[in-house]
């Protein structure tokens, strides 16, 4: 073939099917897409056996590339993984009330930092502080961007150039590159490790105290568990030591449950309320884990310590926006209402019975008509995810699919290309769609997509 057979850039740019994308994505993106398609053709032009694809095929390839780009914005996806707090899928879905609250403050102005009584400047943190202390039992509370930021702010405020004592069983790494020892170092605190990986005693902490000790630090073993020959220091014991020595105790709780998960057939998870009741001086936790709210880092604790955090100039760099505050406030208020927790999607998902999930799976299967034979209703196990409750398995139900002429990986990829994309889990040679993380109002869309997919697979075979 000859280089001259390859359509020129200007011809492709002028082609109406491609030109339409210029207005949508900008000319540079369109040129790049053309290059991406044309370059490999140009490179192989030297081979005697290569042929230049027809003009229409090149246009189609460019358009396909561009339509993927167009959709690369943030999209709603259907979560069929059975992982409730999937960090890669945005962790906790928000309650209707939280979404409405965002809508009402986001499209216009709000009293974010404005006192409607006096007409003077107010604090964006005040309203949330009251709700947080109401719900946790702590004196006061503060919100920042996420729990990582909360820990950073605490260390920067109280432990800069001073020592923080922490057990070796708690030097955690959680997802996304948050390693506690590294965060400590970054904040200018000096890490003092005590005890061993499996055995911790209160005397380990006691022996490590020096005039430079700023904090006793406890971190939740969120995403792992140590079993066997182990002992740990109870938080209340650490608090007693802290009180005796006049050193505050800080707990990085991470998951941040306000309710007892044992009510949802899960292992009990230490709650924020328990940490406060144990006397921990500052408790940090996430907004979008077991709280079921927006991404945020919450800190509750004693009034004077929260006041010092508020006065730290670093807070300015970690501050949350009005949409977060609106969603967080609405979510927290649901905890104050009787039965309000049920309206938080995370707890609605947890509360569904396996029978109800099986029933929904059966209804979807029925809607597949003749293709139902490729699908069975399987027992499944759902997970809390998001670095919480790593050992807990939640009985669940799933659609297990074996598409004709398609291995499960190919089917999973095809489902991800659907709109809305469906994200699944593969077990053995089956693709699983776990009903626990699929919203009931998405069942119809799942059924329609599956039907279309299976129809196509059958036609291809
Ligand atoms: C999840 C977690 C964090 C980080 O929370 P983000 O809100 O994601 O920043 C910190 N500490 C612990 C113990 C956690 O489990």
């Amino acid at each position: 073939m000859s280089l001259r057979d390859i359509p020129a850039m200007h011809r492709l740019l002028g082609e109406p099917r491609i030109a339409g994308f210029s207005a949508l994505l900008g000319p540079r993106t369109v040129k790049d897409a053309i290059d991406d398609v044309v370059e490999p053709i140009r490179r192989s032009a030297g081979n005697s056996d290569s042929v230049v694809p027809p003009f229409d095929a090149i246009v189609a390839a460019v358009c396909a590339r561009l339509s993927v780009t167009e959709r690369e914005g943030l999209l709603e996806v259907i979560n069929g993984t059975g992982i409730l707090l999937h960090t890669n899928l945005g962790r906790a879905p928000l309650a209707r009330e939280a979404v409405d609250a965002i809508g009402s403050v986001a499209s216009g102005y709000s009293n974010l930092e404005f006192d409607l009584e006096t007409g003077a400047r107010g604090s964006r943190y005040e309203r949330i502080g009251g709700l947080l202390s109401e719900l946790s039992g702590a004196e006061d509370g503060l919100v920042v961007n996420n729990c990582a930021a909360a820990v950073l702010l605490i260390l920067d405020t109280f432990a800069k150039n001073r020592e923080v004592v922490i057990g070796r069983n708690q030097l955690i790494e959680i997802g996304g590159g948050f390693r506690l020892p590294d965060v400590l170092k970054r904040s200018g605190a000096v890490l003092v490790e005590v005890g061993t990986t499996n055995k911790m005693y209160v005397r380990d902490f006691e022996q490590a105290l020096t005039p430079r000790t700023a904090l006793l630090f406890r971190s939740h073993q969120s995403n792992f568990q140590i079993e066997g020959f182990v002992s740990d220091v109870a938080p209340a014991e650490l608090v007693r030591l802290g009180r005796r020595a006049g050193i505050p105790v800080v707990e990085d709780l991470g998951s941040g449950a306000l309710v007892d998960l044992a009510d949802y057939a899960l292992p009990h998870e230490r709650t924020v309320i328990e940490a406060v009741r144990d006397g921990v001086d500052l408790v940090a936790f996430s907004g979008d884990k077991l709280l079921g709210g927006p991404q945020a880092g919450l800190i509750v604790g004693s009034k004077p310590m929260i006041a010092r955090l508020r006065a730290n100039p670093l807070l300015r760099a970690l501050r949350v926006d009005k949409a977060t505050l609106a969603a967080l406030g609405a979510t927290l208020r649901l905890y104050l209402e009787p039965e309000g927790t049920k309206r938080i999607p995370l707890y609605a998902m947890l509360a569904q019975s396996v029978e109800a999930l099986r029933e929904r799976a059966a209804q979807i299967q029925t809607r597949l008509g003749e293709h139902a034979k490729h699908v069975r209703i399987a027992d499944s196990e759902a997970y809390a995810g998001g670095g919480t409750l790593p050992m807990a398995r939640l009985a669940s139900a799933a659609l297990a699919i074996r598409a004709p002429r398609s291995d499960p990986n190919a089917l999973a990829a095809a489902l991800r290309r659907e709109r809305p994309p469906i994200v699944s889990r593969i077990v053995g040679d089956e693709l699983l769609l776990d009903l626990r993380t699929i919203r009931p109002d998405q069942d119809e869309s799942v059924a329609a997509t599956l039907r279309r997919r299976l129809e196509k697979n059958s036609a291809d075979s």
Side-chain angles (χ1 to χ4, degrees):
M1 81 176 188
S2 141
L3 282 176
R4 246 176 305 151
D5 299 333
I6 300 172
M9 175 63 84
H10 69 87
R11 188 169 162 220
L12 285 164
L13 279 173
E15 157 63 35
R17 279 169 288 173
I18 292 177
F21 282 104
S22 272
L24 222 56
L25 304 169
R28 174 182 297 211
T29 304
V30 173
K31 271 191 192 140
D32 285 349
I34 292 174
D35 276 338
D36 287 347
V37 171
V38 171
E39 262 317 301
I41 302 173
R42 201 185 303 280
R43 272 200 303 277
S44 66
N47 307 344
S48 54
D49 57 345
S50 64
V51 284
V52 175
F55 181 71
D56 267 354
I58 294 179
V59 172
V62 172
C63 287
R65 194 166 272 276
L66 287 168
S67 49
V68 169
T69 307
E70 184 198 349
R71 296 191 202 112
E72 263 171 359
L74 215 44
L75 285 180
E76 179 193 18
V77 308
I78 294 176
N79 177 5
T81 64
I83 299 167
L84 285 94
L85 297 169
H86 199 306
T87 300
N88 303 147
L89 302 183
R91 285 203 190 148
L94 294 180
R96 182 81 256 153
E97 285 79 353
V99 174
D100 290 347
I102 293 174
S104 70
V105 303
S107 58
Y109 301 104
S110 64
N111 59 342
L112 181 64
E113 292 188 351
F114 186 72
D115 187 329
L116 291 171
E117 284 299 315
T118 62
R121 188 191 168 132
S123 159
R124 73 173 61 209
Y125 301 110
E126 233 140 63
R127 282 171 289 270
I128 293 286
L131 268 172
L132 281 174
S133 61
E134 189 69 52
L135 288 165
S136 67
E139 287 173 11
D140 204 354
L142 182 62
V143 190
V144 291
N145 240 319
N146 53 24
C147 188
V151 171
L152 183 66
L153 182 67
I154 291 170
L155 294 173
D156 183 84
T157 307
F158 296 101
K160 216 179 182 85
N161 303 318
R162 296 182 63 205
E163 291 170 359
V164 176
V165 189
I166 178 166
R168 288 199 169 87
N169 61 348
Q170 299 182 350
L171 293 171
I172 57 163
E173 169 174 332
I174 55 160
F178 178 97
R179 297 185 126 195
L180 200 50
D182 295 343
V183 176
L184 266 146
K185 221 171 283 160
R186 274 273 145 183
S187 69
V190 180
L191 169 64
V192 179
E193 298 175 29
V194 297
T196 62
T197 308
N198 57 326
K199 289 273 189 180
M200 293 291 318
Y201 306 100
V202 79
R203 65 167 184 272
D204 293 328
F205 283 90
E206 196 158 12
Q207 285 161 4
L209 298 180
T210 74
R212 281 164 45 85
T213 308
L215 298 173
L216 301 176
F217 200 95
R218 218 190 121 76
S219 175
H220 191 50
Q221 295 174 340
S222 303
N223 52 3
F224 68 103
Q225 203 165 302
I226 301 179
E227 276 176 54
F229 187 58
V230 294
S231 73
D232 198 0
V233 178
E237 253 184 293
L238 201 59
V239 168
R240 272 196 295 280
L241 171 65
R243 293 280 144 84
R244 269 206 314 277
I247 293 164
V249 176
V250 170
E251 184 164 359
D252 173 14
L253 202 53
S255 45
L258 287 175
V259 297
D260 187 353
L261 293 181
D263 294 346
Y264 295 88
L266 283 167
H268 174 77
E269 174 84 353
R270 179 169 170 78
T271 66
V272 178
I273 296 118
E274 285 166 343
V276 171
R277 206 185 293 144
D278 281 338
V280 174
D281 297 278
L282 287 177
V283 185
F285 54 103
S286 281
D288 54 357
K289 291 185 180 173
L290 294 174
L291 191 78
Q295 179 191 305
L298 296 89
I299 308 170
V300 298
S302 77
K303 238 183 197 343
M305 287 183 79
I306 296 283
R308 280 193 55 193
L309 293 173
R310 271 199 193 143
N312 185 336
L314 184 60
L315 178 62
R316 177 62 181 76
L318 310 174
R319 86 177 180 191
V320 285
D321 78 320
K322 56 184 181 247
T324 300
L325 283 172
L328 184 63
T331 306
L332 291 174
R333 275 189 287 278
L334 286 174
Y335 283 96
L336 287 174
E337 279 182 35
E339 310 281 300
T341 316
K342 287 190 177 144
R343 301 214 292 281
I344 296 170
L346 173 68
Y347 291 96
M349 288 190 277
L350 284 172
Q352 291 189 84
S353 71
V354 178
E355 296 72 52
L357 298 175
R358 290 188 78 89
E359 178 55 35
R360 284 173 50 205
Q363 274 170 17
I364 294 175
Q365 191 192 30
T366 306
R367 284 188 209 148
L368 299 177
E370 58 176 302
H371 304 289
K373 62 175 184 279
H374 302 299
V375 175
R376 69 184 183 93
I377 297 163
D379 292 332
S380 174
E381 278 175 339
Y383 303 83
T388 64
L389 301 164
M391 303 298 156
R393 307 267 187 283
L394 206 63
S396 192
L399 292 158
I401 304 152
R402 238 185 277 238
R405 295 287 181 94
S406 169
D407 70 77
N409 287 301
L411 181 60
L415 291 177
R416 286 197 306 271
R417 281 194 297 269
E418 293 284 349
R419 291 297 178 266
I422 301 176
V423 186
S424 57
R425 190 165 91 219
I426 292 168
V427 177
D429 58 353
E430 286 181 316
L431 178 137
L432 255 54
L433 293 178
D434 194 305
L435 270 292
R436 196 172 285 281
T437 46
I438 297 174
R439 268 200 330 262
D441 67 273
Q442 293 170 326
D443 287 0
E444 212 166 300
S445 161
V446 170
T449 302
L450 272 186
R451 190 182 175 121
R452 201 161 2 95
R453 202 61 245 165
L454 291 170
E455 242 154 40
K456 195 156 169 13
N457 275 57
S458 305
D460 288 350
S461 58

